[in-house]
Amino acid sequence: MESRDQSDMPEHGPGPWSAARDGRGDVEPPPPPSRPPTAVPPPPGAPLRAVAAGLLSLSGLGLGHVLVRRWGRAAVSWAATAAFLLVALPADPDGVPALLVAVYVLLLVLAGADAARIALRTEFGGWPRPALAAVVGLALLAVPVAATSAYGSARDEAREQELLDRLREGDELVTKAAKNSFALSGPDYRYALTLYRELGEDHPGSRAAALVPERLEAYYTAISTPYRAKDYCAAIDPLTFLRTLPDTVDRKLLGDLPGRADAPLAESLYACGVSRLNGSGTESGGTELTALLRTFPDSAQAGQVGPAVSGKIRQQVADLKGEDPCAVTDGLRRTSTLVAGLPGTSSPALSTQAAAGVRDGVYACGVDEFEDGRFSEARQTLTDFADAYTGDRRRGHAEDIAVAAEIAEVRPAAGKRLPPSGGAGGTRMELVISNDAPNGVEVLYTGPVTGTVNLKPCGSCDRYSSEATGAARACRASGTSYPKARLRLPAGEYHFLYKHDTGASTEVDSYASGSKVKPGYSYTSCTYVIERDRYGLDLPSLPDPLKPASLVR
């Protein structure tokens, strides 16, 4: 047998990792461990490396992943930072959306945590001093902090520039509006005021807000342009608008501006109202003068309204003697309407004066219409005068002129001269007018005296078959009592108008005639109606001139 050296044999039994051999020389597997293996402890300096890597990645530059040689993950940080800067720059007054900021900060935190986790098991490549890396990472955190501060300043400046742009927009609107009438430029003025008000009230600490009081001063000046140009009527609306600003704008912004419009507005209301009162246009000035008395009742201009209106009425009454009293009367009516709307204690006296002026105007207008041959208008005007002013001493004459005008509409010769205003003197002759017609007749006459008389229908009378029959038989039937009217007329030329009513016959026309009345005679006249002609018309007779009935000795 072969002997073996005992030194080749182990002194003790097999250890935990030794292999047992069977009789054939094969190696048996080691037995399982008696307990689970423990985790391998991190390499020395791992916590400091993790802190350094995490701080370096929080800067958004991906440097933590660079140190542990994770280039793909570093590229994610670079891409996220680039996208964030692309959205955030240049600085906008509204800043970066909060959701985007939250997402970016979350990505930085995740990147820092990931870099720290990897650095626990991985050595820094090419950077042997983790402590220095941690200091650098801490220092780099100042970059986003400083960037955030700088961005905030840039955003604030952008916001200031935006507010200044809005201020300039308002300035441009005011400059443009000052070149046009307030009726056209009112919307521009109102929008500019909205811009100024929002700047001053909503952004009180801004540079633009600090300039608003100065701009409002210029705003008042621009709106007052018509007043400074002495265009008083055009100045009323903008000055009235200025007085409403305290209702919409903070008084602290306006300062002493609200009261500045009062005196110019009072002056403009008076000047415009009086100019229209004394002008030839259709505007009477009542709107402006009423507004003055209601808005500034204690102003010096309010005290001048009564005398101004009274003087205008006196001037208009004097103008009734001119060429166109009817136009003057229209002006007096407008003035009377103006007076009726005026508040204050002077109105009753002015109302009496204006009413008297209108009364004089109506009479003067009717006379002028008659003299101009406008007989229909004259009749209507003077009839209205007589109906409206029953106590006026001129009422009788107005009625006489109205009668003469109605006759002159049919017989123009009756309108050659006005009826006399006083009664005619001298001897008077009798005129008896008989009615041989089945309908009533109104007889109008004018000459040395003017008047009307009514004849009742003749109940037993009828129409005549022809003009010849009527001329031969009218007012001559024995035993017939014809309705009569007796007039006592001074000598002179007269014009008559016979107006048949429709009591017994329709479509009977009025007709006129003229005759002379001579001293020493009495006269008769007869009116009758002939039968319808082939056109179906009843025609009144055209009486002969007044026939002397007898000679008065």
Side-chain angles (χ1 to χ4, degrees):
M1 291 184 66
E2 184 178 3
S3 61
R4 295 187 180 181
D5 189 354
Q6 294 293 324
S7 61
D8 293 334
M9 300 297 292
E11 297 180 358
H12 305 287
W17 297 102
S18 63
R21 296 179 181 271
D22 60 13
R24 295 188 298 273
D26 292 334
V27 180
E28 294 181 0
S34 60
R35 60 183 179 180
T38 59
V40 177
L48 186 57
R49 286 197 308 273
V51 171
L55 291 174
L56 287 170
S57 289
L58 283 177
S59 65
L61 301 177
L63 296 179
H65 286 107
V66 170
L67 288 180
V68 295
R69 296 180 297 279
R70 298 295 192 272
W71 300 103
R73 301 189 182 197
V76 172
S77 294
W78 297 337
T81 300
F84 183 77
L85 293 177
L86 184 63
V87 173
L89 297 177
D92 187 83
D94 296 329
V96 182
L99 180 60
L100 178 61
V101 174
V103 171
Y104 180 64
V105 170
L106 179 61
L107 287 175
L108 293 183
V109 172
L110 292 176
D114 184 64
R117 181 186 61 80
I118 296 173
L120 285 173
R121 299 291 180 181
T122 306
E123 294 284 349
F124 287 170
W127 190 276
R129 304 177 64 180
L132 181 58
V135 173
V136 172
L138 189 61
L140 286 177
L141 286 180
V143 173
V145 174
T148 301
S149 177
Y151 182 82
S153 297
R155 183 186 61 187
D156 291 342
E157 180 60 26
R159 189 172 296 161
E160 287 284 357
Q161 290 300 323
E162 181 187 47
L163 296 178
L164 289 171
D165 288 342
R166 293 170 66 185
L167 185 71
R168 282 188 288 271
E169 181 185 1
D171 297 343
E172 291 172 358
L173 286 172
V174 171
T175 301
K176 183 182 76 170
K179 299 176 182 178
N180 301 307
S181 67
F182 188 76
L184 296 176
S185 60
D188 288 339
Y189 277 125
R190 290 181 174 87
Y191 184 60
L193 179 65
T194 299
L195 294 176
Y196 292 151
R197 184 181 66 245
E198 290 176 350
L199 290 173
E201 297 179 2
D202 299 342
H203 307 279
S206 64
R207 298 202 300 270
L211 297 173
V212 167
E214 175 186 330
R215 294 307 197 272
L216 288 176
E217 183 87 25
Y219 186 84
Y220 264 68
T221 301
I223 292 186
S224 301
T225 298
Y227 171 74
R228 295 196 307 276
K230 299 187 183 303
D231 190 355
Y232 296 112
C233 291
I236 292 175
D237 285 344
L239 290 174
T240 301
F241 170 71
L242 287 179
R243 294 189 75 245
T244 67
L245 295 193
D247 297 335
T248 57
V249 181
D250 191 344
R251 289 182 177 271
K252 293 180 180 179
L253 289 176
L254 294 175
D256 64 344
L257 291 177
R260 293 191 188 180
D262 289 355
L265 179 57
E267 181 181 354
S268 298
L269 287 170
Y270 177 78
C272 177
V274 170
S275 68
R276 287 176 171 173
L277 175 68
N278 294 324
S280 57
T282 57
E283 296 289 341
S284 67
T287 300
E288 294 76 20
L289 296 178
T290 299
L292 171 63
L293 293 175
R294 294 189 185 279
T295 309
F296 306 104
D298 298 326
S299 64
Q301 291 84 2
Q304 299 172 10
V305 171
V309 175
S310 179
K312 176 62 177 179
I313 296 172
R314 289 194 300 272
Q315 180 61 50
Q316 288 175 320
V317 170
D319 291 342
L320 291 174
K321 299 178 180 178
E323 296 181 355
D324 194 355
C326 292
V328 176
T329 302
D330 291 339
L332 279 163
R333 288 193 177 98
R334 289 195 298 271
T335 304
S336 180
T337 301
L338 178 155
V339 170
L342 291 179
T345 57
S346 61
S347 295
L350 289 175
S351 297
T352 300
Q353 183 184 8
V358 171
R359 182 174 66 248
D360 292 345
V362 173
Y363 180 82
C365 175
V367 171
D368 183 70
E369 288 170 336
F370 184 91
E371 292 176 337
D372 288 345
R374 293 179 291 154
F375 301 120
S376 177
E377 293 92 329
R379 175 166 64 92
Q380 186 64 55
T381 300
L382 292 170
T383 299
D384 292 343
F385 176 88
D387 292 341
Y389 306 109
T390 56
D392 192 280
R393 58 180 179 78
R394 297 164 293 187
R395 181 173 183 265
H397 193 215
E399 290 177 328
D400 287 349
I401 299 175
V403 169
E406 186 172 2
I407 299 171
E409 289 181 58
V410 182
R411 184 177 176 83
K416 288 183 178 180
R417 61 183 61 86
L418 285 170
S421 58
T427 305
R428 295 186 174 233
M429 274 57 69
E430 183 179 72
L431 166 62
V432 178
I433 304 176
S434 301
N435 183 24
D436 188 0
N439 53 278
V441 179
E442 181 183 13
V443 181
L444 286 68
Y445 59 93
T446 185
V449 294
T450 302
T452 62
V453 353
N454 288 287
L455 297 175
K456 295 180 180 181
C458 177
S460 59
C461 299
D462 202 354
R463 297 183 294 271
Y464 290 95
S465 59
S466 66
E467 176 66 32
T469 303
R473 299 173 53 186
C475 298
R476 290 183 173 87
S478 60
T480 300
S481 177
Y482 297 102
K484 293 180 172 53
R486 298 179 183 274
L487 303 178
R488 307 272 307 166
L489 304 176
E493 184 176 357
Y494 286 85
H495 304 277
F496 294 86
L497 174 65
Y498 299 85
K499 297 171 60 178
H500 289 257
D501 63 29
T502 58
S505 178
T506 60
E507 299 180 9
V508 178
D509 293 333
S510 299
Y511 61 96
S513 66
S515 297
K516 289 185 178 180
V517 172
K518 297 179 181 181
Y521 291 87
S522 63
Y523 294 86
T524 62
S525 178
C526 178
T527 179
Y528 56 93
V529 179
I530 63 175
E531 187 63 62
R532 290 180 182 273
D533 66 0
R534 60 179 178 173
Y535 299 105
L537 298 178
D538 282 339
L539 299 178
S541 68
L542 298 179
D544 294 333
L546 300 183
K547 297 179 179 180
S550 62
L551 179 63
V552 180
R553 299 292 184 183

